[in-house]
Amino acid sequence: MARPPAGRRSGSGSDQDGRPGPPGKVYLVGAGPGDPGLITLKGMECIRKADVVLYDALIPQSLLAGAPPHAKLVYVGKRSGPGPRVQEKRQQTAENLMIRHARRGGTVVRLKGGDPFVFGRGGEEAETLRRHRIPVEFVPGVTSAIAAPAAAGIPVTHRQHASSVLFLTGHEDGGKPLSHQHLRMLAGFDGTLVLLMALRALPDLVKDLIEAGKSPDTPSAAIQWGTTPMQKSAFAPLGRLPAEVSRMGIGRPCVIVIGPVTRLATRLRWLESKPLFGKTILVTRPMDQSTALMASLEDAGARVLACPTIRIEPLAIGAALRQAFRSLDKYNYIIFTSANGVRLFFDRLAKSKRDIRDLHRAHTVAIGPETAKALQSTGIHTDVLADDFIAEGILSKLKGPHIAGSRILIPRAIEAREVLPETLRRRGARVDIVPLYRAIPEPGLRSRIRGIFDTESIDCVTFTSSSTATHFFTHAPPSLLTRRPRFLAGSIGPITTRTIRSHYSGPILTASVHTAQGLVDALIRRFRKRRP
């Protein structure tokens, strides 16, 4: 949730003859409580069409990544700390930016954590925009006042425990503490109290509430980073809550809940019970292929960081590929060893003005379910699927007298293992290899790896191919590989494990099912066993 670099441009807002055009529009969008999946569909739609996104602190990076490439991303957050005067100056800056970009004709998204109208100053910003005749639309968000307690297993209302709820801020306008009149009213309130932005004032607030008549035995809770994999919860009677918060190291952002409903968390806590909760896992797969893996890890409760080590660089259509395309009706088998190979093969086929009808004689062979799924997306059924999702798995299927004399085409990466074509040739097949792509390291990989490990505590680094492992360990600072505690290397299969072991002497976990989901399942089994 760090600040990304600003984008490149926003809308122009002027007619071709230079006269000012009509103003653009500002959307006040609630980003939700922290889990990027909790933004509304309308909110995400606004981000996708934005020219400018003015975003607060705590906005998930994945939401900002949804903005179009041309969009300008501007950080305008006001994390607590500076005095009221500095806070007001920053607020004024954010409002001026909204006005300026809207007057240029841009679609401006003011992206705020939670809901803009629940202690988010959205109402003030809307009034300012109206005064300047800027069109504005409101997109509500899921407020952390409800979502954070829910993620900790606390319903803010319950028929047997609380029929009402009050949402409060930890301080009034200008940083003033809550008045004695408010405190007396709150002390007598028998529903649920939910306080936002109250952590700094918590000791004084608890003291004042108890002095005003609130029982020090009132069940209470504090939830930090609610709804995210970094969530941390503290539970204690009200009188001991500040001490428990300090003991557990609870920090901002934090939601305080006071009332009997907090007792229900002992039975209803769910997020912190997920098998990978509390684990930070690094994914090294290329960004355009890592979505499903990252989503599965997040569903299991992990905090997932992306560090793609490679990018796929297509090779130009060469003589070998052109010759293969001219002879497609001569092949008995076409073996696809990766989803990348499938995608680039059919892309090149189309660019060469050929189509899938030329494959009518060939049996298609896939090395695993992800490759078979990529084939299915082209309309091609997989005839042979390897039992073990490595080259040896294909070889166990392609044996017998019918292989001798058959023609086989293998479109693949330029740096692939030779065991498959060499073994097939020994069995009497005529094998043509067509290199389609190479894996090259991501730019700035060394500094990216160093930056992550200098600022994060990584429990596991996942590797889904030998190339991801090779480039990670080649570019990692040597001290990282001997640092204690050693991170777990999660491997998709035995070939990748062999590559990892050639670089790293730390612990390695190899998936028994050699797919991305198989790797997630292996991690779940590993970390579930180690839970206290």
Side-chain angles (χ1 to χ4, degrees):
M1 298 187 185
R3 310 179 195 180
R8 294 185 290 277
R9 66 174 180 84
S10 61
S12 62
S14 61
D15 296 330
Q16 289 184 352
D17 60 4
R19 291 177 299 175
K25 189 172 186 177
V26 175
Y27 292 87
L28 292 178
V29 177
D35 178 351
L38 293 179
I39 192 172
T40 65
L41 292 174
K42 180 65 176 290
M44 203 65 229
E45 178 187 327
C46 291
I47 293 172
R48 291 193 186 104
K49 66 182 181 182
D51 296 305
V52 181
V53 180
L54 305 174
Y55 66 98
D56 280 348
L58 313 181
I59 301 298
Q61 288 275 8
S62 57
L63 296 188
L64 298 173
H70 75 268
K72 185 173 185 178
L73 307 177
V74 184
Y75 176 77
V76 292
K78 304 185 297 295
R79 296 296 297 273
S80 59
R85 186 173 298 178
V86 175
Q87 295 277 27
E88 286 305 313
K89 185 175 180 181
R90 292 178 178 175
Q91 178 66 25
Q92 186 64 54
T93 298
E95 293 176 1
N96 289 340
L97 286 169
M98 280 189 283
I99 295 167
R100 181 193 312 163
H101 287 294
R103 282 179 171 166
R104 293 175 179 171
T107 296
V108 181
V109 169
R110 177 71 172 96
L111 194 59
K112 304 173 77 70
D115 182 280
F117 290 173
V118 180
F119 305 127
R121 302 189 71 166
E124 299 169 43
E125 294 178 358
E127 287 182 306
T128 298
L129 292 166
R130 289 293 195 196
R131 283 197 302 269
H132 289 82
R133 299 183 180 180
I134 303 295
V136 58
E137 186 172 322
F138 314 130
V139 182
V142 178
T143 174
S144 61
I146 295 173
I154 303 170
V156 293
T157 63
H158 188 286
R159 287 194 302 169
Q160 297 175 6
H161 302 286
S163 59
S164 55
V165 59
L166 278 179
F167 300 127
L168 304 111
T169 177
H171 53 76
E172 295 181 343
D173 184 37
K176 296 181 295 184
L178 293 170
S179 66
H180 290 294
Q181 181 179 357
H182 281 159
L183 286 166
R184 285 194 300 271
M185 183 270 290
L186 296 177
F189 181 65
D190 63 356
T192 304
L193 298 177
V194 179
L195 293 95
L196 306 183
M197 300 173 287
L199 190 64
R200 180 185 298 173
L202 184 62
D204 291 336
L205 182 63
V206 168
K207 175 176 174 291
D208 292 342
L209 278 172
I210 292 173
E211 288 179 353
K214 196 74 173 174
S215 170
D217 296 325
T218 304
S220 305
I223 305 108
Q224 180 185 13
W225 287 111
T227 77
T228 77
M230 298 175 288
Q231 179 173 300
K232 187 188 298 185
S233 305
F235 298 87
L238 180 62
R240 297 206 300 271
L241 185 62
E244 183 65 8
V245 164
S246 177
R247 185 187 73 82
M248 290 195 61
I250 300 289
R252 293 186 292 265
C254 181
V255 175
I256 308 295
V257 187
I258 301 172
V261 290
T262 60
R263 292 196 189 103
L264 296 172
T266 57
R267 300 195 302 273
L268 302 182
R269 292 173 77 174
W270 59 275
L271 180 59
E272 295 171 50
S273 300
K274 287 191 172 186
L276 297 182
F277 182 83
K279 302 301 179 184
T280 300
I281 297 179
L282 195 67
V283 172
T284 60
R285 206 173 202 182
M287 283 301 295
D288 60 346
Q289 299 171 36
S290 63
T291 303
L293 173 58
M294 294 177 71
S296 293
L297 290 168
E298 288 170 346
D299 284 345
R303 178 175 176 236
V304 184
L305 302 178
C307 182
T309 59
I310 61 171
R311 62 175 56 183
I312 302 303
E313 182 182 74
L315 300 176
I317 297 177
L321 184 59
R322 283 193 289 269
Q323 178 59 42
F325 283 164
R326 286 193 291 268
S327 306
L328 283 177
D329 60 349
K330 305 285 195 305
Y331 288 107
N332 304 104
Y333 296 93
I334 302 180
I335 301 176
F336 294 98
T337 59
S338 71
N340 286 319
V342 172
R343 177 175 58 84
L344 289 169
F345 178 84
F346 285 95
D347 174 74
R348 297 297 187 264
L349 190 69
K351 288 180 178 176
S352 299
K353 303 194 184 314
R354 310 296 292 265
D355 62 37
I356 59 175
R357 287 174 294 183
D358 294 328
L359 307 178
H360 68 280
R361 288 192 66 244
H363 296 283
T364 53
V365 184
I367 204 167
E370 291 185 16
T371 306
K373 185 177 179 181
L375 262 176
Q376 185 67 41
S377 70
T378 70
I380 301 286
H381 176 72
T382 300
D383 297 307
V384 180
L385 179 64
D387 292 328
D388 293 321
F389 309 138
I390 53 178
E392 287 79 357
I394 290 178
L395 291 170
S396 70
K397 294 281 188 178
L398 300 184
K399 58 185 179 181
H402 64 285
I403 294 299
S406 63
R407 290 195 63 180
I408 299 175
L409 177 64
I410 306 178
R412 65 176 203 181
I414 196 170
E415 63 273 7
R417 297 165 65 219
E418 296 300 325
V419 62
L420 179 60
E422 287 178 355
T423 303
L424 290 171
R425 285 170 181 147
R426 285 198 298 270
R427 292 175 180 176
R430 176 180 170 184
V431 181
D432 294 331
I433 297 173
V434 178
L436 294 177
Y437 63 95
R438 62 163 56 93
I440 61 173
E442 279 284 349
L445 181 57
R446 186 177 301 276
S447 60
R448 171 71 173 152
I449 294 173
R450 181 185 294 110
I452 288 174
F453 279 85
D454 283 349
T455 58
E456 304 285 351
S457 178
I458 303 298
D459 296 290
C460 176
V461 182
T462 62
F463 301 100
T464 54
S465 67
S466 286
S467 55
T468 60
T470 296
H471 288 294
F472 176 86
F473 289 107
T474 300
H475 291 82
S479 60
L480 168 64
L481 308 183
T482 57
R483 180 186 299 181
R484 303 286 180 177
R486 311 293 288 278
F487 63 82
L488 175 68
S491 168
I492 199 169
I495 307 306
T496 302
T497 296
R498 190 184 308 163
T499 303
I500 296 170
R501 182 56 71 203
S502 68
H503 297 277
Y504 183 56
S505 60
I508 302 174
L509 174 68
T510 304
S512 55
V513 178
H514 312 321
T515 64
Q517 186 57 51
L519 178 53
V520 174
D521 294 339
L523 288 170
I524 289 173
R525 289 191 295 271
R526 169 74 168 241
F527 287 118
R528 181 178 279 153
K529 288 179 181 177
R530 292 171 176 247
R531 279 192 174 276

